[in-house]
Amino acid sequence: MKNILVTGGAGFIGSNFINFILQKRDDYFIVNFDKLTYAGNLENLKPSEEKKNYQFVKGDIINSELVDFIFQKYKIKYVINFAAESHVDRSILGSEIFYQTNVIGTNVLLETARKYEAEKFLQVSTDEVYGSLGREGLFTESTPLSPNSPYSSSKAAADMMALAFHHTFGMPVVVTRCSNNYGPLQFPEKLIPLMIINSLNNKKLPVYGDGLNVRDWIYVIDHNNAIDFVLEKGTPGNVYNIGASNEMPNIEIVKLILRHLKKPEDLIHYVKDRPGHDRRYAIDSSKIKNELGWKPEYSFDEAIAQTVDWYISHKSWWERIITGEYQKYYQTQYKNF
Ligand code: NAD
Ligand code: TDX
């Protein structure tokens, strides 16, 4: 049995990871450690909550005593650190919590994993640490880090700290840097769910700037499968880029969603640009493909259509988020933590 601490497992990617991995692996025991911030939602884990090899613990990764207790109690030997403040716009409005969670929190996890001699520490990172591309070229693992937002700078700091723990202490750390994810259970502040939900409600779709910023989209299950490859086979001290070679300007995604929902393009509303808005991201993932044998399995056209349909058929999930109902419920359930 592999005892794995999955932090941030109630968020978008972490909950998809737990539900996906517990379906295919019965040799993993997963402790989901999550603070249940605005972005954490235990409803996401319905498919896993009854499983014997799954345990939820509410807590903050900056709480070193609690993290230590969890390592001891559950004999943790593997860590996958998804926990983060993850939204660029929020980091522009207030950066402190980003450095608290993404930097200090990662430090607590690294120190505790070092103390308990963890066999693998996987730091889930992002292509945003590389900064912004011009029209040409792709991010490789040797592209210099050049983060532009408080969010991406906090993630870059955490990456460098994790790699320094490998270099200095010989810790078995691996870092993954993935491109933009889409799929079910994504918090409706991010581009794709926001545009789907606003369209369904006939509300305006706020497109930043000229709408021509480019993101490289990957289906969340392809990302999560790659994480499992890196956990199993990744070489300590290495960084692995993860992407599905699917670059698109934002406006194209927005129009595609409108077409799928048979809604008019006059819902599109160009708004003031995001400060410091990175122009283009694009990932070269040949290293993980060639060295570990991973490849993406979902086609964009099919997976985005399924994603749109998922939000259509899960209206109560996003309505309860928008109205804050889940958060009110968790505050009463967990007030002693
Ligand atoms: P999310 O915001 O949906 O979820 C984050 C989760 O972390 C939430 O459940 C939240 O409650 C939890 N959390 C926040 N602060 C915490 C703390 N101090 N202690 C414990 N738990 C805490 O984020 P996501 O989109 O699922 O992203 C997960 C990870 O993947 C992040 O590290 C992010 O940087 C990275 N990433 C995201 C994308 C993307 O497109 N969404 C792409 C590449 C990398
Ligand atoms: O209302 C919007 N209008 C708009 O034009 C929003 C929310 C976004 N955008 C644009 C900004 C970006 O160019 O869409 C693009 C995608 O925006 P987000 O969904 O906020 O994602 P991004 O800023 O690219 O960051 C995401 O991908 C990398 C995640 O939030 C990060 O956690 C991840 O590291």
Side-chain angles (χ1 to χ4, degrees):
M1 198 57 106
K2 275 189 165 159
N3 291 7
I4 308 174
L5 181 67
V6 172
T7 68
F12 162 50
I13 304 177
S15 61
N16 273 292
F17 177 80
I18 292 172
N19 295 335
F20 161 76
I21 215 68
L22 288 180
Q23 252 174 29
K24 70 171 201 169
R25 293 205 183 266
D26 46 22
D27 58 330
Y28 284 7
F29 178 78
I30 299 229
V31 178
N32 175 9
F33 186 79
D34 195 297
K35 185 180 171 185
L36 299 182
T37 68
Y38 78 93
N41 185 353
L42 289 178
E43 192 73 20
N44 298 355
L45 293 141
K46 274 257 175 294
S48 304
E49 64 189 12
E50 300 294 329
K51 295 213 157 89
K52 282 203 202 81
N53 51 345
Y54 171 75
Q55 176 67 49
F56 173 70
V57 179
K58 182 176 188 282
D60 190 326
I61 57 169
I62 71 172
N63 182 344
S64 52
E65 271 176 43
L66 182 57
V67 170
D68 191 288
F69 173 77
I70 297 302
F71 267 78
Q72 214 178 84
K73 175 164 182 185
Y74 294 106
K75 299 185 172 40
I76 297 297
K77 285 290 167 200
Y78 297 83
V79 179
I80 307 178
N81 184 25
F82 288 103
E85 288 293 332
S86 69
H87 192 40
V88 174
D89 292 330
R90 285 180 191 255
S91 81
I92 296 167
L93 293 172
S95 62
E96 189 183 341
I97 188 70
F98 283 74
Y99 297 108
Q100 289 285 351
T101 288
N102 302 1
V103 184
I104 308 295
T106 302
N107 179 254
V108 167
L109 293 170
L110 282 163
E111 284 293 8
T112 316
R114 182 159 82 92
K115 175 175 168 190
Y116 288 96
E117 298 178 344
E119 289 168 32
K120 199 74 140 305
F121 187 107
L122 192 157
Q123 173 64 12
V124 179
S125 188
T126 166
D127 60 359
E128 298 199 17
V129 299
Y130 297 121
S132 186
L133 289 165
R135 280 171 192 275
E136 303 291 322
L138 302 172
F139 296 131
T140 71
E141 288 80 358
S142 53
T143 302
L145 302 196
S146 182
N148 290 318
S149 69
Y151 163 70
S152 55
S153 67
S154 70
K155 295 295 289 185
D159 285 20
M160 297 186 94
M161 185 169 38
L163 293 169
F165 271 59
H166 169 74
H167 189 82
T168 305
F169 306 116
M171 260 184 76
V173 167
V174 279
V175 175
T176 57
R177 295 190 181 134
C178 189
S179 60
N180 284 60
N181 285 220
Y182 66 96
L185 305 172
Q186 187 166 30
F187 195 86
E189 64 190 350
K190 307 283 166 53
L191 180 75
I192 288 181
L194 181 77
M195 297 298 160
I196 297 171
I197 291 167
N198 278 12
S199 305
L200 289 170
N201 289 333
N202 298 311
K203 282 174 66 179
K204 284 182 176 162
L205 311 184
V207 173
Y208 299 162
D210 60 7
L212 296 177
N213 296 66
V214 171
R215 296 293 182 264
D216 189 355
W217 295 94
I218 184 170
Y219 190 54
V220 63
I221 298 299
D222 276 330
H223 180 193
N224 283 331
N225 197 28
I227 284 179
D228 196 34
F229 268 73
V230 176
L231 185 75
E232 289 285 315
K233 301 201 234 171
T235 308
N238 274 243
V239 174
Y240 296 91
N241 281 353
I242 302 169
S245 303
N246 187 51
E247 287 181 55
M248 283 179 97
N250 295 333
I251 190 66
E252 259 187 51
I253 301 246
V254 172
K255 287 184 177 170
L256 185 155
I257 290 169
L258 286 170
R259 276 199 303 279
H260 192 86
L261 293 172
K262 301 190 171 49
K263 296 282 183 176
E265 285 193 4
D266 60 13
L267 284 178
I268 294 172
H269 187 57
Y270 288 93
V271 297
K272 197 164 164 282
D273 209 353
R274 171 187 280 174
H277 198 176
D278 285 339
R279 191 62 172 169
R280 176 174 165 256
Y281 303 146
I283 274 270
D284 177 345
S285 50
S286 45
K287 177 174 172 181
I288 186 172
K289 288 179 179 152
N290 296 337
E291 289 185 17
L292 307 188
W294 170 84
K295 60 175 176 17
E297 283 166 13
Y298 289 83
S299 87
F300 178 76
D301 290 348
E302 277 169 16
I304 190 74
Q306 277 171 21
T307 299
V308 176
D309 291 343
W310 187 88
Y311 288 91
I312 295 173
S313 60
H314 289 76
K315 191 171 177 206
S316 63
W317 178 87
W318 51 261
E319 272 186 342
R320 275 182 233 151
I321 288 178
I322 290 170
T323 57
E325 260 182 59
Y326 286 128
Q327 283 309 307
K328 278 179 229 144
Y329 174 73
Y330 296 139
Q331 273 153 22
T332 58
Q333 288 296 302
Y334 292 101
K335 57 185 166 217
N336 296 328
F337 285 79

